[in-house]
Amino acid sequence: AEIDRGTQDVVDAVSAAQAAAGPACAPGTVHFGGEGLRPLHLEQPVTLAELRRHKRAFIKLSTQVLFAKVSDSATAKRLFVDYLRDSVAGAGWAPH
């Protein structure tokens, strides 16, 4: 439940940034509030369907491999943002 809650918060933040940018535009830098997470920079549009696929893949991976490391929602968020940074085309570290 904590993994799902944390990953859903990230999906919601990226979806909101994408909606604000428009469907054909890249969301740019996605901030996650005051949670200590580094912003995610997206140079290409990301659909909700794509985010959901990444969320399912991450949850499957985390429950099979990383389960001991993902003990709370904050850890799940941090690891999922890192996962998106590595998995989504055009994703990277946002400048500080």
Side-chain angles (χ1 to χ4, degrees):
E2 292 296 315
I3 296 170
D4 188 58
R5 186 176 308 120
T7 54
Q8 188 59 48
D9 288 349
V10 173
V11 168
D12 292 345
V14 174
S15 294
Q18 182 64 63
C25 299
T29 301
V30 181
H31 296 276
F32 300 99
E35 301 180 34
L37 291 175
R38 285 186 66 183
L40 177 66
H41 186 73
L42 297 167
E43 296 179 359
Q44 297 177 358
V46 183
T47 65
L48 183 56
E50 182 179 359
L51 287 170
R52 287 180 177 156
R53 279 193 305 274
H54 285 301
K55 177 184 172 186
R56 282 192 304 271
F58 174 78
I59 288 174
K60 185 175 181 179
L61 174 70
S62 65
T63 55
Q64 291 177 349
V65 179
L66 303 171
F67 190 73
K69 293 182 180 181
V70 184
S71 57
D72 57 43
S73 178
T75 302
K77 287 179 192 180
R78 183 178 48 78
L79 291 174
F80 187 49
V81 169
D82 289 344
Y83 176 86
L84 289 176
R85 196 170 282 117
D86 292 338
S87 301
V88 174
W93 294 105
H96 287 287

